[in-house]
Structures are given as C-alpha cells and as structure tokens.
C-alpha cells in the first residue's frame, strides 16, 4: 500500500467531491420536476466496487441518501452476479425500497466505472420523481396497506446494456405515471449526470493514476472510521434511553413508539431499537436500510467534523427486530418513510443530549407535511402539485433553532411559492412565520410556518401525509415542547380538520376554497427561566412570541407599555425557581 501525504489527500478529496457536486448540479439544472429542480431532492455519489459502500457524496445531495445508496449499489452488485456480471456501458435502474431504502418515488440509477476492463467503482444517482403511479397523485398515500397502492415497484434492471439504451424499460415506466413528460425529463437528467460523472472520473484517473486514487478512497473511509471511534470514546460509557411517538399509521388511530437504547462501550456505539412498535398496517413502516441511514444522518448532525462516507458507521452496531416497523419487507407499505426517519433522528438527539449536552440539539419540527393537489385544467390536461413544507429546528447550546428550515434529513430546499404558483393553479394567500410555535428554553426552538393555499382551478382533490399532530417536538435539558402541527381545509359548511390529526385523503375542494398548514417549531434547550430577558424582549418585538407566551413560558413581567420590566422579572423568576 502506498502512503498518501495529507496535502495530496486533501486535494484529491476536493476533486472527488467536485465530481459528485457537478453531477448534483447537472440534474438540478435539467430536471423537469420542481421537487428535484428547485427542492434538490436528489443525490449523487461514488461507491465502492466490492461492497457498494459510500465513498464520496456531493455536498448538495440529501444526506439520507448517503446510507441508503450503499444498500442500493449492493443490490445491483448482487443482481448482476445472477445475470452474468457487470459490463462497461451498463446502467441499472430501480426504485425497490426494500433493498435500496426510502420509498417508491426515489428512482436510482447505478453505473459501474471500468479501467482497462476492470471494475474501479460505481457512480450512482437518485432523484424523487414527481409521480410513479399508485392510488394517490404524488404517491404519498396515507391509507396504503401495501406497496402496490403507493406506485409501481421496479426491481434492479438494466436501462443500458453494454451501452445500448433499452427503450422498452422506459416505455414501461412512462405507462405507469400520470406525468410521463416529467418522468422523461428527470430520467434524462440523471443519465446525463452519470455521463458527466464518468467523464470527470476517467479524467481524474488518467491524471493521478488508478492506484493513487484507490488508496485515497480507502484512506478517506479509514479516517472517517477512526474519527468516529475517537468521538465515541469521548462520550461517557453506559446506556441511555429515549422514545417518541408517531401520531398513527393512517389506518389505525393508535400511536406508534420509536424507542432507542443507546450504549457506549469500548469505543463502540450500540443503537438498540428493539422496544419500538411492531410493523404496522399503514405506510409509516421503513426498511432496515432506511433505519440505518437515518441514524447515519443523526450522527452526522452531532459529529459534524467526521467525513461523509461509510466509515462513519464502522464503530456502530444496530439491533433492529425483524418484525419492527423499522425493518419491514415487501409488500408492507413504506411511502411515508420521511415521517418515521425524522422521529428516529429525534430519539437519537434526545439520547445524545443525555451523554453530551453541549453537542446536542433539540428535535426539529418532525414532519414534511407532504401535500398533494390534483385535478384537470380547463383544457382537460392533468395537473398534480406535490410539495413539502418547512418548520422550526431545535435549539442547542450555541443558540436558538433555525426558523422555517427544511427537515434535518436533507439539504433540500422548500420549493419557492413563486415556482409553485407559476406551475399550478394555486395562490398562496399566506406564507409566514408562526408565532409561539418554537419550544421555549434558554435557547428557543426555531419557528414553524403558516401556509394558506387557495385553489384557482374549478376543482381539485387533496391528500395530506403529515405528523406531529398529537405529539409535539420535545424540548431537551429542561426546554419546552414546540407547537403541534395543524391542518385545516375549507368546505361549503366551514373549516374542517383531519380525523387522524395529520393524515387524510379524499378531500375535495372547489375554486376559491383554501387549505391551511400551521407547522411545528423546534424544541427548546434548557430552562426558559434562564433565557436572557433581552432575548425575550427581542422575540416579542419581532413577533416571534406573543405577550401571553412571554409571561407564561419565560416568567417575564410586562410593563404598561408592553416592554419587559427587568427588575420585576428577576424577582418573579427567583420566586418561580424557588417554588
């Protein structure tokens, strides 16, 4: 083995990341679907030739895909072994969530890269397609009881065989979507991204040599594992526990528990989820691959200096029961995986807060509120609007949580209202921060948002897949909980809310009627009575909190002019602390 000096390693690491970044940018610029083009719900990376392990990922791609794409590439390796092996010019495509993680909307393309006839690595692309069939336009079906009601399921098959494009595969895909033009644009964007990635990878290999680059990739993985072990050794040994709940599974109105017993011992971390609920009837189940990937994302939030590759998980062991909602197999529905992995991240944050409070952060808002509207335009053409929405992030030792951010599972951005209004017959009559939605604390949770949408077309059907309607994002270390999620929709007889709080299908609205989402904030960190009164005053002046919340949650005393009386506030807080 040759030694790589630190300078060369840093340079080549940057060059490899640039390849992944360029693939990201290529797809974002060429995709037809706003969820990829604007929200950046996609990812690209470089993967190990033998194991499929993640070696390098672009900085703009979704972190949740780092882990699941390793399982996806391994699925292609296994499938190819039964069909004569891998060849130059092959590109595999599939969306099977039980071997590749996440859900049916995420289509994966995997391309082997050869040097002198020998496999060197894989490049892979994953993107969230706009519609892949199923019962619900946009594919977030809150009432699905099997994956066949969520969309088409494609196992790993060749899209290109030795460089020859297979039109028959594309014909099958196009016949199973409500939006074939969108599918065509997204698919070709992913193909072009992989073509560019191969061109850049071959040029880098020509420049530095196969042996040097192979050693670089191995060293990056080793260093990530070593850094992760060192971080784990700094944590106190022992076991801590945390648990949180999903509202329901969309079928039975019963809460579902996600429980973590986290053990630190001998430089290793054990994440035991065996106390979690069993697999459920509805679509909040996830595969084992998705569970492990969500834990990776949570750990990367806590240990941010560790490089983003498979080495992060080398010193981590997982205990996940086979019959758990965290390890299901086909045909159990998994379409709402985003809601479950956010609760997974929440329990990891809550557990870490007990071990390393200075590194911990409170749970974020905990739901993407997947909302679909669908109908026909005046000329008869089909339209499908699918979007997700933001909320507040959790507070931490260093400061308040982020207001109106996207979910911590991703680096995606919330689609701009201008793009949504230009693409679909809707008008946003409100898009604003939601007062009092962040959990109170020494540092305050970030604020959620209020979105109000008016239909401009004659009629539409509406589908919502959300969470946190009954179990608010928790505060940590004495911090308060954030506000609950809320959804209302207008009918001729007034406003209504979903019977299951956060999930519903079959909502029919007419022109001029409105939908309203009020999303949660993030949990608070530390006692609210320890928050600087000047910070409370600033929050009050900015409209982040109301006067009632300032008194109720932070123990401040307001003067007649609405400002904070500092001396009386200090006295009041001393009394409350004593009590």
């Amino acid at each position: 083995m040759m030694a790589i000096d630190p300078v060369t390693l840093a340079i080549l690491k940057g060059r490899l990341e640039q390849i992944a970044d360029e693939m990201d940018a290529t797809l974002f610029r060429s995709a037809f679907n706003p969820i990829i083009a604007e929200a950046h719900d996609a990812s690209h990376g470089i993967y190990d030739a033998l194991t499929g392990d993640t070696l390098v990922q672009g900085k703009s791609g979704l972190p949740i895909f780092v882990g699941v794409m390793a399982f996806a590439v391994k699925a292609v390796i296994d499938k190819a072994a039964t069909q004569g092996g891998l060849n130059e010019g092959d590109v595999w495509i599939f969306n099977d969530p039980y071997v590749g993680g996440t859900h049916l909307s995420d289509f994966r393309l995997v391309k082997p890269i050869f040097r002198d006839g020998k496999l060197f690595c894989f490049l892979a692309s994953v993107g969230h397609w706009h519609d892949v069939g199923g019962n619900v336009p946009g594919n977030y079906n809150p009432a699905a009881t099997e994956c066949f009601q969520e969309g088409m399921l494609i196992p790993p098959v060749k899209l290109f065989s030795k460089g020859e494009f297979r039109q028959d595969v594309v014909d099958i895909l196009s016949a199973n979507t409500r939006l074939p033009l969108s599918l065509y644009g997204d698919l070709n964007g992913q193909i072009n991204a992989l073509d560019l990635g191969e061109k850049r990878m071959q040029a880098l290999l020509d420049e530095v040599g196969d042996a040097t680059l192979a050693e670089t990739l191995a060293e990056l993985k080793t260093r990530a594992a070593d850094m992760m072990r060192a971080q784990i050794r700094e944590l106190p040994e022992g076991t801590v526990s945390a648990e949180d709940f999903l509202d329901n599974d969309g079928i039975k109105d019963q809460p579902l528990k996600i429980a973590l017993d986290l053990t630190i011992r001998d430089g290793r971390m054990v994440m035991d989820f065996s106390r979690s609920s069993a697999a459920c009837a509805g679509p909040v189940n996830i595969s084992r691959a998705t569970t492990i990937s969500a834990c990776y994302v949570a750990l990367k939030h806590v240990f941010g200096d560790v490089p983003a590759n498979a080495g992060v998980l080398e010193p981590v062991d997982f205990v996940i029961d086979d019959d758990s909602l965290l390890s299901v197999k086909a045909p159990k529905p998994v379409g709402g995986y985003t809601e479950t992995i956010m609760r997974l991240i929440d329990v990891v944050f809550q557990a870490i807060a007990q071990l390393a409070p200075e590194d911990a952060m409170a749970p974020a808002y905990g739901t993407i509120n997947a909302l679909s509207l669908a109908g026909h335009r005046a000329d008869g053409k089909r339209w499908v609007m699918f979007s997700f929405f933001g909320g507040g992030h959790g507070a931490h030792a260093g400061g308040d949580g982020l207001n109106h951010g996207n979910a911590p599972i991703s680096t995606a951005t919330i689609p701009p209202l201008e793009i949504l209004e230009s693409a679909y017959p809707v008008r946003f009559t409100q898009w604003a921060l939601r007062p009092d939605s962040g959990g109170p604390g020494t540092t305050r949770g970030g604020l959620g948002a209020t979105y109000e949408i008016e239909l401009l077309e004659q009629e539409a059907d509406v589908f919502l897949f959300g969470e946190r309607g009954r179990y608010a994002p928790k505060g940590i270390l004495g911090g308060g909980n954030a506000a609950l999620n809320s959804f209302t929709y207008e009918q001729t007889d007034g406003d209504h809310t979903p019977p299951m709080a956060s999930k519903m299908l079959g909502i029919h609205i007419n022109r001029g009627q409105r939908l309203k989402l009020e999303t949660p904030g993030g949990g608070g960190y530390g006692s609210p009575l320890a928050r600087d009164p000047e910070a409370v005053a600033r929050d009050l002046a900015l409209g982040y909190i109301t006067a009632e919340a300032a008194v109720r949650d932070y123990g401040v005393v307001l003067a007649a002019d609405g400002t904070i009386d500092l001396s009386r506030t200090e006295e009041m807080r001393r009394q409350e602390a004593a009590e």
Side-chain angles (χ1 to χ4, degrees):
M1 298 284 285
M2 59 185 297
I4 301 290
D5 67 88
V7 174
T8 300
L9 184 68
I11 291 171
L12 292 180
K13 176 178 180 288
R15 293 282 298 275
L16 289 163
E17 289 176 347
Q18 178 62 25
I19 291 172
D21 288 343
E22 281 197 73
M23 289 193 286
D24 282 343
T26 298
L27 178 57
F28 298 156
R29 292 169 181 165
S30 58
F32 286 15
N33 161 20
I35 299 301
I36 297 178
E38 296 293 335
H40 295 178
D41 194 344
S43 182
H44 297 82
I46 304 169
Y47 301 86
D48 187 84
L50 296 178
T51 64
D53 284 350
T54 303
L55 301 175
V56 175
Q57 189 199 21
K59 293 184 288 295
S60 299
L62 266 65
I64 188 62
F65 290 144
V66 173
V68 294
M69 285 305 291
F71 290 92
V73 175
K74 183 62 165 60
V76 169
I77 294 172
D78 293 343
K79 184 68 174 288
T82 68
Q83 297 189 356
L86 297 158
N87 303 291
E88 290 192 59
D90 286 351
V91 176
W92 294 73
I93 186 171
F94 69 106
N95 71 336
D96 186 338
Y98 307 99
V99 298
T102 64
H103 59 172
L104 296 175
S105 297
D106 296 332
F107 261 84
R108 296 154 173 79
L109 274 65
V110 177
K111 184 172 191 174
I113 303 300
F114 287 82
R115 294 286 289 178
D116 298 323
K118 182 180 178 181
L119 181 65
F120 182 82
C121 69
F122 290 91
L123 301 181
S125 169
V126 56
H128 181 119
W129 289 6
H130 203 155
D131 183 90
V132 295
N135 288 11
V136 170
N139 307 117
Y140 267 82
N141 181 357
T145 56
E146 55 184 2
C147 62
F148 308 111
Q149 298 162 351
E150 298 179 311
M152 57 176 162
L153 191 156
I154 305 297
V157 296
K158 289 183 182 180
L159 179 64
F160 286 83
S161 181
K162 297 181 180 180
E164 181 179 351
F165 182 64
R166 297 191 57 188
Q167 184 62 44
D168 54 345
V169 173
V170 179
D171 290 344
I172 293 170
L173 297 175
S174 298
N176 284 277
T177 176
R178 298 170 179 84
L179 303 168
L181 183 61
S182 178
L183 181 150
Y184 174 84
D186 296 345
L187 174 61
N188 279 279
Q190 289 183 263
I191 293 170
N192 291 335
L194 291 178
D195 287 346
L196 177 66
E198 180 177 23
K199 180 180 178 181
R200 296 287 191 262
M201 178 62 77
Q202 295 287 3
L204 182 58
L205 285 163
D206 289 341
E207 180 181 340
V208 305
D210 296 16
T212 298
L213 203 59
E215 180 63 18
T216 297
L217 291 167
E219 180 65 16
L220 290 172
K221 182 179 175 182
T222 298
R223 290 195 176 203
D226 290 344
M227 290 177 67
M228 191 65 187
R229 287 190 190 93
Q231 298 271 21
I232 291 173
R233 288 189 185 279
E234 292 181 3
L235 298 174
E237 291 201 344
T239 299
V240 295
S241 300
E243 59 185 43
D244 211 329
F245 294 86
L246 296 168
D247 294 341
N248 49 59
D249 69 353
I251 304 299
K252 295 181 179 179
D253 199 6
Q254 299 173 353
L256 296 164
K257 180 169 69 175
I258 296 179
L260 169 63
D261 299 312
L262 189 152
T263 299
I264 305 296
R265 185 173 295 115
D266 298 328
R268 296 194 67 82
M269 176 183 291
V270 179
M271 307 185 82
D272 185 345
F273 292 98
S274 56
R275 293 191 299 110
S276 300
S277 292
C280 59
V284 295
N285 300 292
I286 59 176
S287 69
R288 180 183 176 87
T290 306
T291 296
I292 293 173
S293 301
C295 292
Y296 164 86
V297 174
L299 293 173
K300 274 293 293 161
H301 274 285
V302 177
F303 307 115
D305 294 336
V306 180
N309 63 53
V312 172
L313 295 180
E314 282 195 11
V316 183
D317 300 313
F318 295 92
V319 180
I320 308 167
D321 290 349
D322 287 340
D323 65 346
S324 167
L325 88 162
L326 306 180
S327 61
V328 300
K329 296 177 176 60
K332 283 286 188 179
V334 295
Y337 89 100
T338 49
E339 308 306 294
T340 307
I341 63 174
M342 283 195 278
R343 205 64 68 255
L344 268 171
I345 292 173
D346 290 345
V347 297
V348 175
F349 284 178
Q350 292 169 49
I352 292 293
Q354 301 171 55
L355 296 171
E358 69 283 355
D359 294 326
M361 62 205 78
Y365 63 104
T367 175
I368 70 167
N369 276 315
L371 181 67
S372 297
L373 287 80
H376 293 84
R377 299 183 187 272
D379 59 5
K381 290 183 178 179
R382 183 77 153 159
W383 65 275
V384 177
M385 171 185 151
F386 169 79
S387 190
F388 49 82
F389 298 88
H393 280 224
H396 47 89
D400 297 340
L402 175 70
N403 291 336
H404 189 224
N406 202 2
I409 60 173
S410 75
T411 52
T413 59
I414 302 159
L417 69 88
E418 294 86 354
I419 296 296
L420 296 175
E421 288 184 337
S422 66
Y424 310 112
V426 299
R427 176 190 296 123
F428 281 82
T429 54
Q430 192 173 2
W431 181 298
L433 294 178
R434 180 187 180 190
D436 292 343
S437 56
T442 306
T443 53
R444 173 185 43 73
L447 269 61
T450 299
Y451 309 90
E452 190 173 63
I453 306 170
E454 179 183 345
L455 178 66
L456 302 181
E457 196 50 84
Q458 191 63 35
E459 57 183 6
D461 293 314
V462 180
F463 311 85
L464 176 72
F465 201 136
E467 264 295 330
R468 288 298 193 195
R470 291 183 177 149
Y471 294 91
K474 293 182 179 181
I476 59 173
L477 303 169
N481 293 349
L484 289 170
N485 196 28
S486 173
F487 176 70
T488 58
Y489 58 96
E490 186 181 0
Q491 305 272 258
T492 53
D493 59 347
D495 290 342
H496 297 264
T497 58
M500 289 195 180
S502 55
K503 303 172 185 68
M504 192 168 180
L505 51 70
I507 302 170
H508 187 82
I509 61 173
N510 297 316
R511 187 194 302 273
Q513 292 180 337
R514 298 180 179 184
L515 315 168
K516 189 174 185 179
L517 268 172
E518 295 178 281
T519 68
Y525 180 105
S527 171
L529 297 181
R531 185 166 177 81
D532 183 352
E534 294 292 344
V536 178
R538 183 173 61 251
D539 288 347
L540 187 58
L542 291 171
Y544 292 172
I545 61 174
T546 60
E548 293 78 10
V551 175
R552 179 189 67 234
D553 297 332
Y554 292 99
V556 300
V557 177
L558 298 179
D561 61 358
T563 61
I564 292 177
D565 186 321
L566 294 179
S567 61
R568 292 178 61 198
T569 292
E570 291 178 5
E571 180 182 351
M572 174 75 74
R573 286 181 166 185
R574 280 196 298 269
Q575 292 176 358
E576 291 188 12
E579 292 171 0

